[in-house]
């Protein structure tokens, strides 16, 4: 059973703050990890991928991966109201993506 | 790059009728396409995986005779909901992976189906 767990939230942060989203997964063999953003009524949009331990930065987003702890996180710096969405953690295994239930983020102006 | 389209974006149909949803990869060849369903405030649920030219692989609990999937080319997959019922009303989303990356899935904009 492949499990991907996220805190469903909601997570509220003030504008300009750092939002921290966390995800744990059950399969130690997983090698590829993704963060998707989904606005209400829209389909998911890939925002970050990470394959090796450590940090990966892309603009205001930083993904962090710790395979030993089976933990992947997403940091959003200088949060903006437009970042308000549901963030889905996804773990790749055997040509499929296993999604967490998502964390709803609200950035308060 | 990596654009996936779906048509229609929303559809309303009567109970008992069939509805076809198209998924196209516009700027890449999709070796594999996936069909998901999402109910309100719920996470994505994988329905089936389709590879071009072969039969789709359905997830447990998904009726293959009700949800017909055809992946006729490297850029087109279709999902037909046969004899639709109100409980089939949902947001149907396809995704695709290309030949260059076997890991990153790119999603279409989704099709909202309402069965009356």
């Amino acid at each position: 059973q492949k499990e991907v767990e996220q805190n469903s939230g909601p997570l509220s942060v003030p504008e300009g703050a750092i939002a921290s989203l966390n995800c744990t997964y059950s399969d130690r063999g997983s090698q590829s990890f993704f963060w998707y953003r989904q606005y209400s009524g829209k389909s998911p949009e890939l925002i970050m991928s990470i394959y090796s331990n450590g940090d990966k930065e892309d603009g205001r987003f930083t993904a962090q991966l710790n395979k030993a702890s089976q933990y992947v996180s997403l940091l959003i710096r200088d949060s903006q109201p437009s970042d308000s969405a549901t963030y889905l953690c996804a773990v790749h295994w055997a040509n499929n993506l296993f999604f967490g239930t998502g964390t709803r983020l609200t950035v308060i102006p | 790059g990596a654009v996936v389209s779906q048509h229609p974006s929303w559809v309303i149909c009567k109970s008992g009728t069939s509805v076809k949803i198209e998924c196209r990869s516009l700027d890449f060849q999709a070796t594999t396409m996936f069909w998901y369903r999402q109910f309100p405030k719920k996470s994505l649920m994988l329905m089936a995986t389709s590879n071009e030219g072969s039969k789709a692989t359905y997830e447990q609990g998904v009726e293959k005779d009700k949800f017909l999937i055809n992946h006729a080319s490297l850029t087109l997959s279709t999902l037909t909901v046969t004899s639709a019922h109100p409980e089939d009303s949902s947001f149907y989303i396809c995704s695709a992976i290309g030949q260059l990356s076997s890991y990153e899935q790119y999603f279409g904009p989704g099709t909202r189906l309402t069965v009356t």
Side-chain angles (χ1 to χ4, degrees), chain B residues 23-26 28-30 33 52 71-77:
Chain B
C23 176
R24 293 181 184 272
S25 57
L26 299 184
F28 67 102
Q29 293 187 321
M33 287 184 168
E52 183 263 341
H71 194 159
S73 75
L74 284 172
T75 59
L76 173 64
S77 176

Side-chain angles (χ1 to χ4, degrees), chain B residues 96-108:
Chain B
I97 55 177
Q99 295 170 324
L100 294 180
S101 170
S102 60
Y103 304 125
E104 296 180 353
Q105 288 190 21
Y106 294 91
F107 285 84

Side-chain angles (χ1 to χ4, degrees), chain B:
Chain B
V3 178
V4 177
S5 71
Q6 279 184 245
H7 177 80
S9 56
W10 61 275
V11 57
I12 301 173
C13 72
K14 292 185 177 181
S15 185
T17 61
S18 296
V19 175
K20 180 185 285 188
I21 303 170
E22 292 186 350
C23 176
R24 293 181 184 272
S25 57
L26 299 184
D27 53 359
F28 67 102
Q29 293 187 321
T31 52
T32 305
M33 287 184 168
F34 304 85
W35 287 96
Y36 294 85
R37 180 167 52 182
Q38 188 175 36
F39 293 104
K41 299 185 178 182
K42 299 294 184 182
S43 188
L44 293 167
M45 293 177 54
L46 179 65
M47 299 175 67
T49 302
S50 76
N51 294 292
E52 183 263 341
S54 59
K55 291 184 178 180
T57 301
Y58 289 81
E59 295 299 301
Q60 190 173 7
V62 178
E63 300 175 56
K64 63 180 181 180
D65 294 330
K66 180 172 180 61
F67 299 98
L68 301 178
I69 292 173
N70 184 289
H71 194 159
S73 75
L74 284 172
T75 59
L76 173 64
S77 176
T78 61
L79 167 68
T80 301
V81 182
T82 63
S83 186
H85 289 97
E87 57 265 32
D88 298 325
S89 299
S90 187
F91 192 41
Y92 291 86
I93 311 172
C94 73
S95 70
I97 55 177
Q99 295 170 324
L100 294 180
S101 170
S102 60
Y103 304 125
E104 296 180 353
Q105 288 190 21
Y106 294 91
F107 285 84
T111 297
R112 189 161 302 282
L113 170 64
T114 301
V115 184
T116 61

Side-chain angles (χ1 to χ4, degrees), chain A residues 1 3 9 12-13 22 26 35 47 50 60 66 74 78 81 86 92 108:
Chain A
Q1 182 77 9
E3 293 185 353
S12 295
V13 300
N22 304 315
S26 62
W35 283 98
I47 56 172
I50 187 166
R60 294 186 297 110
N66 184 326
L74 180 70
D78 188 23
T86 296
H92 178 268
I108 303 169

